[in-house]
Amino acid sequence: MKYKWIYLLSFYVLISCSSDESIEPETNNGYTPVEIELQIPQLFKDKLLAPIVPTTNPQTQEGVDLGKKLFFDPILSSDNTISCASCHNPQKSFTDNLQFSEGVNNAKGTRNSMPLFNLAWNFDDRFAWDGKELSLERQAFEPVVNHVEMNNDWKQIAIELSNHAEYPELFKKAFGDIPIDSNLVVKALAQFERTLISGNSKFDKFLRGEATLTPEEQNGFDAFMDENRGDCFHCHGSQNNPLWTDNKFHNNGLDATFTDLGFGAVTGDSKDNGKFRTPSLRNLSFTAPYMHDGRFATLDEVINHYSEGLKNSPTISPLMKKVAQGGVQMTDKDKADLKAFLLTLTDSDFVNNPAFQLP
């Protein structure tokens, strides 16, 4: 009797495995997406936790390729004139160099377009200047329907993509034989955006022992790390944080009163009013103008703000320790050298990477 039960159990296991194998090709139309890993720089592996890749949206070559095609395609906008790349240009570190980005019909928003890179290491999973978008996938929902951005309708997009000459087959290879909808679109976009990794600046090479800093760049880094000079490291990290941001939300003394509540409008807590996400200091030579509202046209203006332009308010970050004096009061030399250091975080390989460009 014991052997009979073992035989029956083995039979059912074989039937179960056989059934699973027969279902998979039918569900995915006989095509299995090729899973790929993110190309993570060794410095990131050494200094950071593993990046966030949801189990519900694993990286596949087909998903990334589809996401890239969608990213550059104006089909997502209502009048087929605006793509994601219109506001996030690869040559500009995936921003657009405008104070306020322009959507369909030349409509303008009230925020500066954030650059896109190293997004998989945003461990709090809050995106946009005010942190309103929870996860990289969800982040892509809003711009498509926003009336000053793409001004489109997701149902209409699904119809257009489903009737397109190429997209149905591309979606099928990436996600299986299921109807195209907004969830699949944002999954593909997120897969492509997670591949946008910047980690080969001069300072990265310096940390790898492949480059040397000039005396001015070294002094600029020293000022960056000195609480009595630049005092920048609390929010932007150090040589031990290759992201060069904490991805947290701070009131950095831009205004005494707020026309844009930032994070406070998201949380509903007045203590968060005037707080915005810390941007990365990578690739600053490509991403002017600066701040959430693009108010500073140059890097010199940004440095001057922290040196002598801070404005006090009830929610000012305690990290702005010298707000009463207007800022850290840097010398002209330290300002110039700090700028020189910041420019060593420029990654030209990133903005010229053919994997991130239109073919």
Side-chain angles (χ1 to χ4, degrees):
M1 179 64 71
K2 178 176 72 173
Y3 294 107
K4 178 179 179 181
W5 281 110
I6 293 174
Y7 171 80
L8 289 174
L9 178 61
S10 301
F11 175 77
Y12 283 121
V13 168
L14 287 171
I15 290 294
S16 175
C17 293
S18 174
S19 298
D20 287 344
E21 290 172 0
S22 65
I23 289 174
E24 179 62 26
E26 180 179 287
T27 302
N28 208 32
N29 200 39
Y31 189 92
T32 302
V34 178
E35 290 201 28
I36 59 175
E37 295 184 355
L38 294 176
Q39 299 301 304
I40 303 173
Q42 187 60 48
L43 188 65
F44 286 36
K45 292 180 180 180
D46 294 341
K47 303 290 187 180
L48 300 172
L49 297 174
I52 298 173
V53 179
T55 57
T56 54
N57 190 27
Q59 296 288 119
T60 68
Q61 189 62 60
E62 292 76 9
V64 170
D65 291 344
L66 173 59
K68 178 179 177 180
K69 183 175 177 62
L70 288 165
F71 189 89
F72 288 97
D73 196 336
I75 195 172
L76 297 181
S77 64
S78 60
D79 60 0
N80 290 327
T81 61
I82 300 294
S83 70
C84 301
S86 298
C87 297
H88 299 285
N89 185 329
Q91 294 291 324
K92 299 171 182 176
S93 198
F94 289 87
T95 184
D96 60 11
N97 295 155
L98 299 175
Q99 181 177 13
F100 303 125
S101 299
E102 295 183 357
V104 297
N105 301 317
N106 299 317
K108 289 188 177 183
T110 59
R111 302 265 179 84
N112 181 248
S113 176
M114 291 201 85
L116 304 178
F117 52 79
N118 300 340
L119 302 170
W121 286 272
N122 184 348
F123 297 116
D124 288 339
D125 231 11
R126 281 190 176 273
F127 292 87
W129 279 108
D130 58 8
K132 65 182 175 180
E133 309 296 350
L134 300 175
S135 87
L136 192 55
E137 281 76 9
R138 294 183 187 179
Q139 182 278 327
F141 281 120
E142 199 267 342
V144 171
V145 298
N146 189 307
H147 71 281
V148 296
E149 295 187 55
M150 292 182 168
N151 193 37
N152 210 343
D153 177 82
W154 277 114
K155 291 183 179 179
Q156 180 60 34
I157 290 173
I159 293 171
E160 291 187 35
L161 292 174
S162 299
N163 293 329
H164 192 272
E166 300 176 68
Y167 277 118
E169 184 64 20
L170 296 176
F171 272 92
K172 191 174 294 184
K173 286 184 175 181
F175 298 111
D177 194 9
I178 55 179
I180 296 173
D181 64 5
S182 61
N183 290 305
L184 297 187
V185 173
V186 300
K187 280 187 173 184
L189 288 170
Q191 285 191 45
F192 171 62
E193 290 172 349
R194 285 192 176 94
T195 69
L196 305 179
I197 298 173
S198 175
N200 199 34
S201 68
K202 178 180 180 178
F203 198 80
D204 296 313
K205 295 173 184 177
F206 166 71
L207 293 176
R208 299 197 302 260
E210 300 168 8
T212 57
L213 300 182
T214 67
E216 291 78 15
E217 291 165 348
Q218 182 64 60
N219 181 58
F221 175 62
D222 293 341
F224 181 95
M225 296 296 298
D226 191 334
E227 288 187 314
N228 294 314
R229 293 199 283 165
D231 195 21
C232 312
F233 67 94
H234 291 291
C235 299
H236 289 288
S238 66
Q239 73 273 24
N240 294 315
N241 175 12
L243 300 178
W244 296 101
T245 174
D246 61 3
N247 279 314
K248 304 294 185 182
F249 299 85
H250 303 282
N251 172 357
N252 63 338
L254 290 173
D255 300 297
T257 58
F258 313 117
T259 55
D260 186 338
L261 296 182
F263 192 42
V266 174
T267 65
D269 188 342
S270 61
K271 294 178 182 178
D272 291 327
N273 288 349
K275 295 181 181 180
F276 294 90
R277 187 154 68 93
T278 306
S280 174
L281 297 180
R282 284 187 177 271
N283 300 320
L284 293 174
S285 60
F286 305 119
T287 60
Y290 307 101
M291 302 298 168
H292 69 278
D293 54 6
R295 69 176 64 189
F296 297 137
T298 68
L299 199 49
D300 297 288
E301 292 179 44
V302 175
I303 294 172
N304 287 337
H305 164 71
Y306 289 109
S307 179
E308 55 264 351
L310 297 182
K311 296 180 177 63
N312 206 349
S313 66
T315 62
I316 187 76
S317 171
L319 298 174
M320 305 291 110
K321 297 185 291 295
K322 296 188 178 181
V323 63
Q325 292 79 43
V328 291
Q329 304 294 322
M330 297 181 72
T331 66
D332 288 343
K333 176 171 173 49
D334 279 350
K335 286 183 182 181
D337 290 353
L338 175 59
K339 180 180 177 181
F341 158 67
L342 293 173
L343 293 178
T344 69
L345 300 176
T346 298
D347 183 357
S348 296
D349 290 342
F350 173 70
V351 299
N352 293 310
N353 190 332
F356 307 150
Q357 319 283 330
L358 274 176

